[in-house]
Amino acid sequence: MDSPNSLLRPVPPEELHDLICVGFGPASLAIAIGLHDALSNSSPVPDLSRGRYPKVAFLERQEDFFWHAGMLLPGAKMQISFIKDLATLRDPRSQFTFLNYLHKHDRLVSFCNLGTFLPLREEYQDYMKWCASFFGDVVSYNQNVVEILPQQSQIGGSKVEHFVVKSQDRSTGIITGRKTHHVVIAVGGKPHIPAQLPQQLPRVVHSSQFSRAAPKLLEDQNRQYNLVVIGGGQSAAEIFDNLQGRYPNAKTTLIVRGSALRPSDDSPFVNEIFDPDRVDGTYNQDAQSREAAIDLDRGTNYGVVRLELLEHIYAKMYTQRLRNPNGNQWQHRIVTDTSVQSISELPGGESVRVFLEAMNDASNSGGSTETFIDADAVFVATGYSRNAHEDMLRPIEHLKPRPNGHSTQWEVSRDYRVQLNGHLASPDVGIWLQGCNEKTHGLSDTLLSILATRGAEIVDSIFGLAGSPVKGTRYSNGFVTPPEEGL
């Protein structure tokens, strides 16, 4: 098997970097791969003042590479084709394709025998971790980025010439500042628990922590727990199903605001909205038309469940109905058209009370008319917020363009570059946002589908190396191709 290495080289923290990526999840990993492949494939760029490796660093809050570790459930499969990996759609010849990963692990033929385009989520996490291992020299884990500061030239300059990215080591508490011309913020979503629910109660757990928290909260697999899941999407359905196998004697209740669990639409024509070339059309629409189009397509990704899992759950519910027509006595129930108003901890701290409100008197597929449920644990699958960049960028809010004298929201160009006030920031500095641009770039922005192509777009926007169809500002110092090295 290959010894992990890449064409990216580590540099001391005190040196001025060309690029710092905040976060090292799939989005930043795709950028690292795109930059490596661009350096290995491109011809030397002419008319450079000097030739050198780009000075890059990746800062990751977690202690190692993990992707949705809290939802790596046994048997859970990917919802997109393995062809939409971190490289194939950009360059099928890249050594970072999923097929090459299988080849290097001597599983290519065996995977072919499965006859599927949807690998296990566990295997896809291992694929991405294998890719990440090649870039260990340029990744600093356990780093929590706290702020991004603007820096002007020390020789009387009036414009911001670089940024200082400050991060705190989560193990030692030491804060380190790294200077850079360019910053990519790709920190993923923050787990979202609705405001009316407790944010810090130990027995109220967001789905992102499910597989880690459940064994600690619920240690006895044979106990008759009373468990509640909140949500109507894929994660809620997976947790509801998983709990029934993990705790065979437990009662489980799935609470859904809508009238039913609904299937995701992954039919071929609809699936084209996730094609990389669709981003151009989405971005170029006027804001009102774009918002309407995104709302129309939300059924592909939000509050929906893959049909295979829906049918599996329905079959189990039907078996209960076969054995006992009284839905109130079922071990597993789905309560629809119901919202959760609040959750309070009961005396002793060993359970909580979930207060319910029916949204439609004729509802409740499980036949429930109760106003509360006492539970040993509540698992909340209510999605993620995508605004972590706002706190990081607060120290540079004065760099926002201010039309008519009024501050605006952070705006991004088609190449994901944040628009800065050209009178205050040098054209050789820039900030790019990843995974928080759904309103401008479409539903694929938070997903894995376009990472290979988007990674190349970012590389081209910053360095002008990837040959991307999206042309951004080339970095004025440029780079030459380093000596060829195999993976």
Side-chain angles (χ1 to χ4, degrees), residues 243-423:
L243 287 172
Q244 297 171 27
R246 189 188 294 249
Y247 302 102
N249 297 319
K251 291 184 177 181
T252 60
T253 303
L254 176 61
I255 300 173
V256 182
R257 286 179 58 88
S259 60
L261 291 175
R262 301 186 182 280
S264 56
D265 187 346
D266 59 355
S267 56
F269 290 108
V270 172
N271 227 14
E272 287 187 343
I273 68 172
F274 301 115
D275 289 357
D277 59 7
R278 285 295 187 96
V279 178
D280 286 330
T282 300
Y283 184 85
N284 290 328
Q285 286 181 301
D286 64 85
Q288 186 175 0
S289 299
R290 185 168 56 230
E291 182 180 4
I294 291 173
D295 284 343
L296 184 64
D297 293 330
R298 288 180 71 84
T300 60
N301 187 50
Y302 291 105
V304 290
V305 185
R306 285 190 67 86
L307 183 60
E308 180 184 24
L309 179 57
L310 280 184
E311 292 174 339
H312 170 72
I313 292 175
Y314 192 88
K316 292 199 294 185
M317 303 297 289
Y318 179 82
T319 301
Q320 290 186 129
R321 186 182 300 275
L322 171 67
R323 295 171 180 171
N324 184 353
N326 187 348
N328 289 324
Q329 297 177 4
W330 292 353
Q331 183 180 0
H332 311 297
R333 297 184 302 153
I334 300 176
V335 181
T336 59
D337 283 311
T338 299
S339 65
V340 177
Q341 295 302 298
S342 63
I343 300 175
S344 62
E345 188 174 50
L346 294 176
E350 295 299 316
S351 58
V352 296
R353 179 160 291 176
V354 183
F355 292 92
L356 309 176
E357 181 178 1
M359 302 176 67
N360 181 346
D361 290 338
S363 70
N364 294 328
S365 62
S368 173
T369 58
E370 62 214 300
T371 58
F372 68 85
I373 300 174
D374 290 342
D376 296 289
V378 178
F379 300 100
V380 184
T382 47
Y384 298 83
S385 59
R386 307 276 175 177
N387 58 359
H389 63 285
E390 294 177 1
D391 288 336
M392 293 183 193
L393 296 180
R394 209 169 301 280
I396 65 169
E397 281 194 342
H398 65 284
L399 297 182
K400 289 180 180 178
R402 297 174 184 267
N404 302 320
H406 297 291
S407 177
T408 65
Q409 298 294 317
W410 292 109
E411 302 288 344
V412 292
S413 302
R414 167 60 184 87
D415 63 349
Y416 305 93
R417 185 173 187 166
V418 173
Q419 297 174 9
L420 302 177
N421 188 326
H423 296 292

Side-chain angles (χ1 to χ4, degrees), residues 138-160:
V138 292
V139 182
S140 296
Y141 290 100
N142 261 331
Q143 294 292 316
N144 182 38
V145 173
V146 293
E147 61 182 353
I148 298 171
L149 302 174
Q151 293 289 304
Q152 295 174 336
S153 171
Q154 296 180 355
I155 314 177
S158 60
K159 291 187 176 183
V160 173

Side-chain angles (χ1 to χ4, degrees), residues 108-126:
L108 181 56
V109 173
S110 297
F111 184 84
C112 289
N113 291 337
L114 289 175
T116 182
F117 281 89
L118 305 176
L120 290 173
R121 201 176 294 162
E122 176 185 0
E123 184 170 35
Y124 205 79
Q125 148 72 15
D126 191 65

Side-chain angles (χ1 to χ4, degrees), residues 193 197-206 209-210 212-218 343-346 348-352 375-380:
I193 295 179
L197 305 185
Q199 306 294 307
Q200 301 295 332
L201 211 57
R203 294 189 175 273
V204 178
V205 179
H206 190 268
Q209 299 299 315
F210 171 69
R212 292 171 171 172
K216 297 177 181 178
L217 279 177
L218 311 168
I343 300 175
S344 62
E345 188 174 50
L346 294 176
E350 295 299 316
S351 58
V352 296
D376 296 289
V378 178
F379 300 100
V380 184

